[in-house]
Amino acid sequence: MPVLGSCVSSSPSRLSRHKQGLEHPVMASLTSLPHLPPFVSHSSSSSSITCLSPSKIQRVTIMSPRRPLSGKRSVAPISAVDEVSVVDPPPPPPFSEDKSELIACLKLKLLSAVSGLNRGLAANEDDLQKADAAAKEIEDVGGLVDLSVDLDKLQGRWKLIYSSAFSSRTLGGSRPGPPTGRLLPITLGQVFQRIDILSKDFDNIVELQIGTPWPLPPVEVTATLAHKFELIGSAKIKIKFEKTTVKTTGNLSQLPPLELPRIPDNLRPPSNTGSGEFEVTYLDADTRITRGDRGELRVFVIS
């Protein structure tokens, strides 16, 4: 993913007050003027990502009056030249360019926060907080999402790179689902969402590896949970479950797919209504952030 912003991994160095000329009384007043914005640094930690705005050093000449030795006011005062250095940033770029560079840097920070967490299955409480804070920074800069205008950006196949719900160690996240680990020999593979804005299809595609007794190899399957979706707000989506299709892959790919029957609504447990809602809190051409109706944070990248 290209990064347009200036991202560095070390803490920004400080300019000495002498070089900035802040000791000069006139310069001290200049630093309070609104047209001299301060440096913007995102983090001071040497292990975190820092976003810096460009700036340059410009020398400014200040003319200060000098009184004659006699103490009398001179009609044509002689001027002394005081030369000091101040921070003078160049004209700021258009807001859209500056915003896109900042978001690119914040997206890199988010990817760094969720990397190595196995889509959230290996996340602890500290990991959850860091990922949530990184996502909120992007959401704040990106602003509100309006799917009535940007619905076409949902189109495509999205790869899940993080879900806070998986920290519960179940495939259903915060909803009921089979646990992962020693209780059941199920290993979670890649997870995708396939969205078609014309047919309103919303499919969750999950790759699974199911353990078998030795010496048989594990069985690899792909489960597709088909839904239909509808907009119920400017950024909120409601999905309704329709069916589940399981297809074997790998050595057993020649087997036909198996369609699991849908549980009738009157037999469903109260915790499994067959529908759900989530809000799209950030969306662009290659990244999507959503927050579910049970507080789940999910991060997707276009696949």
PDB file of all heavy atoms in Angstrom, residues 77-115:
ATOM      1  N   PRO A  77      16.779  58.483  12.893  1.00  0.00           N
ATOM      2  CA  PRO A  77      17.501  57.528  13.740  1.00  0.00           C
ATOM      3  C   PRO A  77      18.318  56.553  12.917  1.00  0.00           C
ATOM      4  O   PRO A  77      17.945  56.180  11.812  1.00  0.00           O
ATOM      5  CB  PRO A  77      16.369  56.819  14.487  1.00  0.00           C
ATOM      6  CG  PRO A  77      15.181  56.949  13.607  1.00  0.00           C
ATOM      7  CD  PRO A  77      15.324  58.275  12.934  1.00  0.00           C
ATOM      8  N   ILE A  78      19.479  56.191  13.482  1.00  0.00           N
ATOM      9  CA  ILE A  78      20.315  55.178  12.866  1.00  0.00           C
ATOM     10  C   ILE A  78      19.791  53.817  13.278  1.00  0.00           C
ATOM     11  O   ILE A  78      19.450  53.604  14.430  1.00  0.00           O
ATOM     12  CB  ILE A  78      21.781  55.360  13.305  1.00  0.00           C
ATOM     13  CG1 ILE A  78      22.255  56.766  12.954  1.00  0.00           C
ATOM     14  CG2 ILE A  78      22.671  54.310  12.698  1.00  0.00           C
ATOM     15  CD1 ILE A  78      23.630  57.058  13.488  1.00  0.00           C
ATOM     16  N   SER A  79      19.717  52.885  12.334  1.00  0.00           N
ATOM     17  CA  SER A  79      19.155  51.566  12.619  1.00  0.00           C
ATOM     18  C   SER A  79      20.257  50.529  12.741  1.00  0.00           C
ATOM     19  O   SER A  79      21.245  50.585  12.007  1.00  0.00           O
ATOM     20  CB  SER A  79      18.197  51.140  11.504  1.00  0.00           C
ATOM     21  OG  SER A  79      17.110  52.022  11.443  1.00  0.00           O
ATOM     22  N   ALA A  80      20.064  49.627  13.693  1.00  0.00           N
ATOM     23  CA  ALA A  80      20.954  48.486  13.825  1.00  0.00           C
ATOM     24  C   ALA A  80      20.268  47.266  13.231  1.00  0.00           C
ATOM     25  O   ALA A  80      19.046  47.179  13.207  1.00  0.00           O
ATOM     26  CB  ALA A  80      21.272  48.238  15.288  1.00  0.00           C
ATOM     27  N   VAL A  81      21.033  46.333  12.753  1.00  0.00           N
ATOM     28  CA  VAL A  81      20.483  45.143  12.113  1.00  0.00           C
ATOM     29  C   VAL A  81      20.643  43.957  13.050  1.00  0.00           C
ATOM     30  O   VAL A  81      21.753  43.633  13.459  1.00  0.00           O
ATOM     31  CB  VAL A  81      21.197  44.860  10.777  1.00  0.00           C
ATOM     32  CG1 VAL A  81      20.663  43.572  10.165  1.00  0.00           C
ATOM     33  CG2 VAL A  81      21.004  46.033   9.831  1.00  0.00           C
ATOM     34  N   ASP A  82      19.512  43.357  13.441  1.00  0.00           N
ATOM     35  CA  ASP A  82      19.519  42.125  14.228  1.00  0.00           C
ATOM     36  C   ASP A  82      19.032  41.005  13.318  1.00  0.00           C
ATOM     37  O   ASP A  82      17.915  41.062  12.792  1.00  0.00           O
ATOM     38  CB  ASP A  82      18.587  42.239  15.441  1.00  0.00           C
ATOM     39  CG  ASP A  82      19.084  43.289  16.429  1.00  0.00           C
ATOM     40  OD1 ASP A  82      20.302  43.490  16.442  1.00  0.00           O
ATOM     41  OD2 ASP A  82      18.244  43.872  17.133  1.00  0.00           O
ATOM     42  N   GLU A  83      19.838  39.983  13.133  1.00  0.00           N
ATOM     43  CA  GLU A  83      19.481  38.881  12.245  1.00  0.00           C
ATOM     44  C   GLU A  83      19.286  37.627  13.089  1.00  0.00           C
ATOM     45  O   GLU A  83      20.187  37.203  13.806  1.00  0.00           O
ATOM     46  CB  GLU A  83      20.583  38.650  11.214  1.00  0.00           C
ATOM     47  CG  GLU A  83      20.146  37.730  10.080  1.00  0.00           C
ATOM     48  CD  GLU A  83      21.207  37.673   8.985  1.00  0.00           C
ATOM     49  OE1 GLU A  83      22.324  37.224   9.283  1.00  0.00           O
ATOM     50  OE2 GLU A  83      20.887  38.068   7.863  1.00  0.00           O
ATOM     51  N   VAL A  84      18.063  37.046  13.013  1.00  0.00           N
ATOM     52  CA  VAL A  84      17.741  35.857  13.777  1.00  0.00           C
ATOM     53  C   VAL A  84      17.090  34.835  12.850  1.00  0.00           C
ATOM     54  O   VAL A  84      16.667  35.170  11.744  1.00  0.00           O
ATOM     55  CB  VAL A  84      16.791  36.188  14.950  1.00  0.00           C
ATOM     56  CG1 VAL A  84      17.471  37.087  15.956  1.00  0.00           C
ATOM     57  CG2 VAL A  84      15.504  36.823  14.439  1.00  0.00           C
ATOM     58  N   SER A  85      17.018  33.588  13.319  1.00  0.00           N
ATOM     59  CA  SER A  85      16.403  32.506  12.545  1.00  0.00           C
ATOM     60  C   SER A  85      15.084  32.118  13.186  1.00  0.00           C
ATOM     61  O   SER A  85      14.998  31.953  14.399  1.00  0.00           O
ATOM     62  CB  SER A  85      17.318  31.277  12.507  1.00  0.00           C
ATOM     63  OG  SER A  85      18.535  31.602  11.876  1.00  0.00           O
ATOM     64  N   VAL A  86      14.057  31.965  12.370  1.00  0.00           N
ATOM     65  CA  VAL A  86      12.740  31.548  12.860  1.00  0.00           C
ATOM     66  C   VAL A  86      12.217  30.437  11.974  1.00  0.00           C
ATOM     67  O   VAL A  86      12.647  30.260  10.845  1.00  0.00           O
ATOM     68  CB  VAL A  86      11.734  32.729  12.870  1.00  0.00           C
ATOM     69  CG1 VAL A  86      12.180  33.803  13.816  1.00  0.00           C
ATOM     70  CG2 VAL A  86      11.539  33.283  11.479  1.00  0.00           C
ATOM     71  N   VAL A  87      11.280  29.705  12.517  1.00  0.00           N
ATOM     72  CA  VAL A  87      10.628  28.651  11.752  1.00  0.00           C
ATOM     73  C   VAL A  87       9.508  29.274  10.940  1.00  0.00           C
ATOM     74  O   VAL A  87       8.593  29.849  11.482  1.00  0.00           O
ATOM     75  CB  VAL A  87      10.072  27.568  12.699  1.00  0.00           C
ATOM     76  CG1 VAL A  87       9.329  26.507  11.903  1.00  0.00           C
ATOM     77  CG2 VAL A  87      11.210  26.944  13.482  1.00  0.00           C
ATOM     78  N   ASP A  88       9.597  29.147   9.633  1.00  0.00           N
ATOM     79  CA  ASP A  88       8.592  29.732   8.753  1.00  0.00           C
ATOM     80  C   ASP A  88       8.103  28.643   7.812  1.00  0.00           C
ATOM     81  O   ASP A  88       8.755  28.353   6.810  1.00  0.00           O
ATOM     82  CB  ASP A  88       9.193  30.900   7.964  1.00  0.00           C
ATOM     83  CG  ASP A  88       8.147  31.595   7.094  1.00  0.00           C
ATOM     84  OD1 ASP A  88       6.954  31.394   7.361  1.00  0.00           O
ATOM     85  OD2 ASP A  88       8.546  32.302   6.153  1.00  0.00           O
ATOM     86  N   PRO A  89       6.974  27.977   8.104  1.00  0.00           N
ATOM     87  CA  PRO A  89       6.493  26.906   7.235  1.00  0.00           C
ATOM     88  C   PRO A  89       6.063  27.456   5.891  1.00  0.00           C
ATOM     89  O   PRO A  89       5.602  28.596   5.792  1.00  0.00           O
ATOM     90  CB  PRO A  89       5.300  26.332   8.009  1.00  0.00           C
ATOM     91  CG  PRO A  89       4.853  27.446   8.882  1.00  0.00           C
ATOM     92  CD  PRO A  89       6.090  28.224   9.242  1.00  0.00           C
ATOM     93  N   PRO A  90       6.225  26.659   4.838  1.00  0.00           N
ATOM     94  CA  PRO A  90       5.768  27.094   3.517  1.00  0.00           C
ATOM     95  C   PRO A  90       4.260  27.157   3.484  1.00  0.00           C
ATOM     96  O   PRO A  90       3.587  26.667   4.393  1.00  0.00           O
ATOM     97  CB  PRO A  90       6.300  25.988   2.594  1.00  0.00           C
ATOM     98  CG  PRO A  90       6.369  24.781   3.474  1.00  0.00           C
ATOM     99  CD  PRO A  90       6.747  25.302   4.838  1.00  0.00           C
ATOM    100  N   PRO A  91       3.694  27.754   2.447  1.00  0.00           N
ATOM    101  CA  PRO A  91       2.231  27.802   2.344  1.00  0.00           C
ATOM    102  C   PRO A  91       1.668  26.391   2.421  1.00  0.00           C
ATOM    103  O   PRO A  91       2.182  25.473   1.774  1.00  0.00           O
ATOM    104  CB  PRO A  91       1.983  28.438   0.961  1.00  0.00           C
ATOM    105  CG  PRO A  91       3.228  29.206   0.683  1.00  0.00           C
ATOM    106  CD  PRO A  91       4.347  28.452   1.325  1.00  0.00           C
ATOM    107  N   PRO A  92       0.649  26.173   3.248  1.00  0.00           N
ATOM    108  CA  PRO A  92       0.118  24.812   3.399  1.00  0.00           C
ATOM    109  C   PRO A  92      -0.491  24.313   2.102  1.00  0.00           C
ATOM    110  O   PRO A  92      -1.038  25.103   1.318  1.00  0.00           O
ATOM    111  CB  PRO A  92      -0.956  24.978   4.483  1.00  0.00           C
ATOM    112  CG  PRO A  92      -1.354  26.415   4.410  1.00  0.00           C
ATOM    113  CD  PRO A  92      -0.112  27.159   4.021  1.00  0.00           C
ATOM    114  N   PRO A  93      -0.375  23.019   1.824  1.00  0.00           N
ATOM    115  CA  PRO A  93      -0.998  22.473   0.621  1.00  0.00           C
ATOM    116  C   PRO A  93      -2.502  22.496   0.756  1.00  0.00           C
ATOM    117  O   PRO A  93      -3.032  22.734   1.845  1.00  0.00           O
ATOM    118  CB  PRO A  93      -0.462  21.030   0.590  1.00  0.00           C
ATOM    119  CG  PRO A  93      -0.171  20.713   2.021  1.00  0.00           C
ATOM    120  CD  PRO A  93       0.279  22.011   2.631  1.00  0.00           C
ATOM    121  N   PRO A  94      -3.224  22.259  -0.336  1.00  0.00           N
ATOM    122  CA  PRO A  94      -4.683  22.191  -0.239  1.00  0.00           C
ATOM    123  C   PRO A  94      -5.100  21.179   0.806  1.00  0.00           C
ATOM    124  O   PRO A  94      -4.425  20.179   1.030  1.00  0.00           O
ATOM    125  CB  PRO A  94      -5.105  21.748  -1.656  1.00  0.00           C
ATOM    126  CG  PRO A  94      -3.984  22.203  -2.538  1.00  0.00           C
ATOM    127  CD  PRO A  94      -2.739  22.107  -1.708  1.00  0.00           C
ATOM    128  N   PHE A  95      -6.234  21.448   1.445  1.00  0.00           N
ATOM    129  CA  PHE A  95      -6.678  20.606   2.562  1.00  0.00           C
ATOM    130  C   PHE A  95      -6.801  19.141   2.159  1.00  0.00           C
ATOM    131  O   PHE A  95      -6.443  18.262   2.915  1.00  0.00           O
ATOM    132  CB  PHE A  95      -8.019  21.118   3.085  1.00  0.00           C
ATOM    133  CG  PHE A  95      -8.583  20.301   4.202  1.00  0.00           C
ATOM    134  CD1 PHE A  95      -8.018  20.339   5.464  1.00  0.00           C
ATOM    135  CD2 PHE A  95      -9.671  19.465   3.994  1.00  0.00           C
ATOM    136  CE1 PHE A  95      -8.533  19.582   6.500  1.00  0.00           C
ATOM    137  CE2 PHE A  95     -10.182  18.711   5.027  1.00  0.00           C
ATOM    138  CZ  PHE A  95      -9.617  18.770   6.279  1.00  0.00           C
ATOM    139  N   SER A  96      -7.282  18.881   0.940  1.00  0.00           N
ATOM    140  CA  SER A  96      -7.474  17.505   0.519  1.00  0.00           C
ATOM    141  C   SER A  96      -6.150  16.754   0.457  1.00  0.00           C
ATOM    142  O   SER A  96      -6.069  15.592   0.845  1.00  0.00           O
ATOM    143  CB  SER A  96      -8.171  17.464  -0.846  1.00  0.00           C
ATOM    144  OG  SER A  96      -7.396  18.167  -1.807  1.00  0.00           O
ATOM    145  N   GLU A  97      -5.078  17.404  -0.039  1.00  0.00           N
ATOM    146  CA  GLU A  97      -3.784  16.749  -0.126  1.00  0.00           C
ATOM    147  C   GLU A  97      -3.224  16.510   1.265  1.00  0.00           C
ATOM    148  O   GLU A  97      -2.711  15.435   1.570  1.00  0.00           O
ATOM    149  CB  GLU A  97      -2.821  17.599  -0.953  1.00  0.00           C
ATOM    150  CG  GLU A  97      -3.215  17.719  -2.423  1.00  0.00           C
ATOM    151  CD  GLU A  97      -2.210  18.544  -3.199  1.00  0.00           C
ATOM    152  OE1 GLU A  97      -1.141  18.831  -2.634  1.00  0.00           O
ATOM    153  OE2 GLU A  97      -2.493  18.897  -4.347  1.00  0.00           O
ATOM    154  N   ASP A  98      -3.307  17.516   2.129  1.00  0.00           N
ATOM    155  CA  ASP A  98      -2.782  17.378   3.478  1.00  0.00           C
ATOM    156  C   ASP A  98      -3.528  16.273   4.227  1.00  0.00           C
ATOM    157  O   ASP A  98      -2.924  15.485   4.956  1.00  0.00           O
ATOM    158  CB  ASP A  98      -2.907  18.705   4.202  1.00  0.00           C
ATOM    159  CG  ASP A  98      -2.270  18.670   5.584  1.00  0.00           C
ATOM    160  OD1 ASP A  98      -1.045  18.489   5.678  1.00  0.00           O
ATOM    161  OD2 ASP A  98      -3.015  18.816   6.560  1.00  0.00           O
ATOM    162  N   LYS A  99      -4.827  16.183   4.041  1.00  0.00           N
ATOM    163  CA  LYS A  99      -5.641  15.174   4.705  1.00  0.00           C
ATOM    164  C   LYS A  99      -5.310  13.782   4.203  1.00  0.00           C
ATOM    165  O   LYS A  99      -5.203  12.831   4.989  1.00  0.00           O
ATOM    166  CB  LYS A  99      -7.130  15.491   4.478  1.00  0.00           C
ATOM    167  CG  LYS A  99      -8.083  14.508   5.124  1.00  0.00           C
ATOM    168  CD  LYS A  99      -9.514  14.945   4.854  1.00  0.00           C
ATOM    169  CE  LYS A  99     -10.505  13.948   5.436  1.00  0.00           C
ATOM    170  NZ  LYS A  99     -11.908  14.357   5.181  1.00  0.00           N
ATOM    171  N   SER A 100      -5.115  13.637   2.897  1.00  0.00           N
ATOM    172  CA  SER A 100      -4.812  12.321   2.345  1.00  0.00           C
ATOM    173  C   SER A 100      -3.464  11.817   2.821  1.00  0.00           C
ATOM    174  O   SER A 100      -3.293  10.623   3.075  1.00  0.00           O
ATOM    175  CB  SER A 100      -4.850  12.370   0.814  1.00  0.00           C
ATOM    176  OG  SER A 100      -3.848  13.245   0.314  1.00  0.00           O
ATOM    177  N   GLU A 101      -2.504  12.716   2.972  1.00  0.00           N
ATOM    178  CA  GLU A 101      -1.189  12.304   3.462  1.00  0.00           C
ATOM    179  C   GLU A 101      -1.276  11.856   4.919  1.00  0.00           C
ATOM    180  O   GLU A 101      -0.658  10.863   5.316  1.00  0.00           O
ATOM    181  CB  GLU A 101      -0.195  13.459   3.321  1.00  0.00           C
ATOM    182  CG  GLU A 101       0.168  13.787   1.884  1.00  0.00           C
ATOM    183  CD  GLU A 101       1.145  14.942   1.793  1.00  0.00           C
ATOM    184  OE1 GLU A 101       1.545  15.458   2.853  1.00  0.00           O
ATOM    185  OE2 GLU A 101       1.502  15.321   0.674  1.00  0.00           O
ATOM    186  N   LEU A 102      -2.049  12.568   5.720  1.00  0.00           N
ATOM    187  CA  LEU A 102      -2.196  12.202   7.118  1.00  0.00           C
ATOM    188  C   LEU A 102      -2.898  10.861   7.255  1.00  0.00           C
ATOM    189  O   LEU A 102      -2.497  10.007   8.059  1.00  0.00           O
ATOM    190  CB  LEU A 102      -2.969  13.298   7.858  1.00  0.00           C
ATOM    191  CG  LEU A 102      -3.245  13.043   9.347  1.00  0.00           C
ATOM    192  CD1 LEU A 102      -1.948  12.811  10.110  1.00  0.00           C
ATOM    193  CD2 LEU A 102      -4.015  14.201   9.955  1.00  0.00           C
ATOM    194  N   ILE A 103      -3.960  10.637   6.472  1.00  0.00           N
ATOM    195  CA  ILE A 103      -4.686   9.376   6.549  1.00  0.00           C
ATOM    196  C   ILE A 103      -3.797   8.217   6.111  1.00  0.00           C
ATOM    197  O   ILE A 103      -3.834   7.131   6.707  1.00  0.00           O
ATOM    198  CB  ILE A 103      -5.967   9.448   5.693  1.00  0.00           C
ATOM    199  CG1 ILE A 103      -7.019  10.326   6.386  1.00  0.00           C
ATOM    200  CG2 ILE A 103      -6.529   8.055   5.435  1.00  0.00           C
ATOM    201  CD1 ILE A 103      -8.319  10.450   5.641  1.00  0.00           C
ATOM    202  N   ALA A 104      -2.990   8.429   5.069  1.00  0.00           N
ATOM    203  CA  ALA A 104      -2.084   7.363   4.627  1.00  0.00           C
ATOM    204  C   ALA A 104      -1.136   6.955   5.745  1.00  0.00           C
ATOM    205  O   ALA A 104      -0.848   5.770   5.935  1.00  0.00           O
ATOM    206  CB  ALA A 104      -1.304   7.825   3.403  1.00  0.00           C
ATOM    207  N   CYS A 105      -0.653   7.934   6.494  1.00  0.00           N
ATOM    208  CA  CYS A 105       0.246   7.637   7.604  1.00  0.00           C
ATOM    209  C   CYS A 105      -0.504   6.934   8.740  1.00  0.00           C
ATOM    210  O   CYS A 105       0.015   5.988   9.344  1.00  0.00           O
ATOM    211  CB  CYS A 105       0.880   8.933   8.095  1.00  0.00           C
ATOM    212  SG  CYS A 105       2.271   8.691   9.205  1.00  0.00           S
ATOM    213  N   LEU A 106      -1.734   7.368   9.024  1.00  0.00           N
ATOM    214  CA  LEU A 106      -2.514   6.743  10.087  1.00  0.00           C
ATOM    215  C   LEU A 106      -2.930   5.317   9.715  1.00  0.00           C
ATOM    216  O   LEU A 106      -3.034   4.445  10.587  1.00  0.00           O
ATOM    217  CB  LEU A 106      -3.753   7.588  10.390  1.00  0.00           C
ATOM    218  CG  LEU A 106      -3.484   8.967  10.997  1.00  0.00           C
ATOM    219  CD1 LEU A 106      -4.795   9.733  11.179  1.00  0.00           C
ATOM    220  CD2 LEU A 106      -2.741   8.852  12.317  1.00  0.00           C
ATOM    221  N   LYS A 107      -3.164   5.065   8.426  1.00  0.00           N
ATOM    222  CA  LYS A 107      -3.487   3.709   7.989  1.00  0.00           C
ATOM    223  C   LYS A 107      -2.294   2.778   8.208  1.00  0.00           C
ATOM    224  O   LYS A 107      -2.458   1.622   8.617  1.00  0.00           O
ATOM    225  CB  LYS A 107      -3.909   3.716   6.525  1.00  0.00           C
ATOM    226  CG  LYS A 107      -5.310   4.237   6.300  1.00  0.00           C
ATOM    227  CD  LYS A 107      -5.558   4.645   4.858  1.00  0.00           C
ATOM    228  CE  LYS A 107      -5.491   3.521   3.915  1.00  0.00           C
ATOM    229  NZ  LYS A 107      -5.891   3.902   2.535  1.00  0.00           N
ATOM    230  N   LEU A 108      -1.110   3.283   7.946  1.00  0.00           N
ATOM    231  CA  LEU A 108       0.090   2.489   8.199  1.00  0.00           C
ATOM    232  C   LEU A 108       0.238   2.188   9.683  1.00  0.00           C
ATOM    233  O   LEU A 108       0.617   1.085  10.083  1.00  0.00           O
ATOM    234  CB  LEU A 108       1.324   3.236   7.684  1.00  0.00           C
ATOM    235  CG  LEU A 108       2.673   2.527   7.877  1.00  0.00           C
ATOM    236  CD1 LEU A 108       2.687   1.200   7.150  1.00  0.00           C
ATOM    237  CD2 LEU A 108       3.810   3.407   7.381  1.00  0.00           C
ATOM    238  N   LYS A 109      -0.100   3.157  10.519  1.00  0.00           N
ATOM    239  CA  LYS A 109      -0.039   2.947  11.961  1.00  0.00           C
ATOM    240  C   LYS A 109      -1.046   1.882  12.401  1.00  0.00           C
ATOM    241  O   LYS A 109      -0.745   1.029  13.255  1.00  0.00           O
ATOM    242  CB  LYS A 109      -0.311   4.266  12.685  1.00  0.00           C
ATOM    243  CG  LYS A 109      -0.275   4.139  14.206  1.00  0.00           C
ATOM    244  CD  LYS A 109      -0.604   5.461  14.867  1.00  0.00           C
ATOM    245  CE  LYS A 109      -0.651   5.313  16.385  1.00  0.00           C
ATOM    246  NZ  LYS A 109      -1.031   6.573  17.047  1.00  0.00           N
ATOM    247  N   LEU A 110      -2.254   1.900  11.832  1.00  0.00           N
ATOM    248  CA  LEU A 110      -3.262   0.906  12.171  1.00  0.00           C
ATOM    249  C   LEU A 110      -2.817  -0.487  11.744  1.00  0.00           C
ATOM    250  O   LEU A 110      -2.960  -1.463  12.503  1.00  0.00           O
ATOM    251  CB  LEU A 110      -4.599   1.263  11.512  1.00  0.00           C
ATOM    252  CG  LEU A 110      -5.735   0.249  11.679  1.00  0.00           C
ATOM    253  CD1 LEU A 110      -6.067   0.050  13.148  1.00  0.00           C
ATOM    254  CD2 LEU A 110      -6.966   0.688  10.902  1.00  0.00           C
ATOM    255  N   LEU A 111      -2.275  -0.608  10.533  1.00  0.00           N
ATOM    256  CA  LEU A 111      -1.802  -1.902  10.062  1.00  0.00           C
ATOM    257  C   LEU A 111      -0.690  -2.435  10.959  1.00  0.00           C
ATOM    258  O   LEU A 111      -0.603  -3.634  11.227  1.00  0.00           O
ATOM    259  CB  LEU A 111      -1.307  -1.795   8.616  1.00  0.00           C
ATOM    260  CG  LEU A 111      -2.367  -1.473   7.562  1.00  0.00           C
ATOM    261  CD1 LEU A 111      -1.720  -1.336   6.188  1.00  0.00           C
ATOM    262  CD2 LEU A 111      -3.434  -2.552   7.527  1.00  0.00           C
ATOM    263  N   SER A 112       0.152  -1.539  11.429  1.00  0.00           N
ATOM    264  CA  SER A 112       1.222  -1.943  12.338  1.00  0.00           C
ATOM    265  C   SER A 112       0.661  -2.434  13.667  1.00  0.00           C
ATOM    266  O   SER A 112       1.182  -3.377  14.275  1.00  0.00           O
ATOM    267  CB  SER A 112       2.185  -0.773  12.562  1.00  0.00           C
ATOM    268  OG  SER A 112       3.193  -1.109  13.491  1.00  0.00           O
ATOM    269  N   ALA A 113      -0.433  -1.809  14.136  1.00  0.00           N
ATOM    270  CA  ALA A 113      -1.018  -2.180  15.430  1.00  0.00           C
ATOM    271  C   ALA A 113      -1.672  -3.553  15.395  1.00  0.00           C
ATOM    272  O   ALA A 113      -1.677  -4.268  16.409  1.00  0.00           O
ATOM    273  CB  ALA A 113      -2.036  -1.124  15.856  1.00  0.00           C
ATOM    274  N   VAL A 114      -2.232  -3.948  14.243  1.00  0.00           N
ATOM    275  CA  VAL A 114      -2.959  -5.222  14.178  1.00  0.00           C
ATOM    276  C   VAL A 114      -2.127  -6.344  13.578  1.00  0.00           C
ATOM    277  O   VAL A 114      -2.576  -7.504  13.566  1.00  0.00           O
ATOM    278  CB  VAL A 114      -4.267  -5.063  13.371  1.00  0.00           C
ATOM    279  CG1 VAL A 114      -5.150  -3.990  13.988  1.00  0.00           C
ATOM    280  CG2 VAL A 114      -3.979  -4.720  11.907  1.00  0.00           C
ATOM    281  N   SER A 115      -0.943  -6.040  13.076  1.00  0.00           N
ATOM    282  CA  SER A 115      -0.116  -7.094  12.485  1.00  0.00           C
ATOM    283  C   SER A 115       0.354  -8.055  13.570  1.00  0.00           C
ATOM    284  O   SER A 115       0.647  -7.662  14.693  1.00  0.00           O
ATOM    285  CB  SER A 115       1.090  -6.473  11.771  1.00  0.00           C
ATOM    286  OG  SER A 115       1.936  -5.812  12.701  1.00  0.00           O
TER     287      SER A 115
END
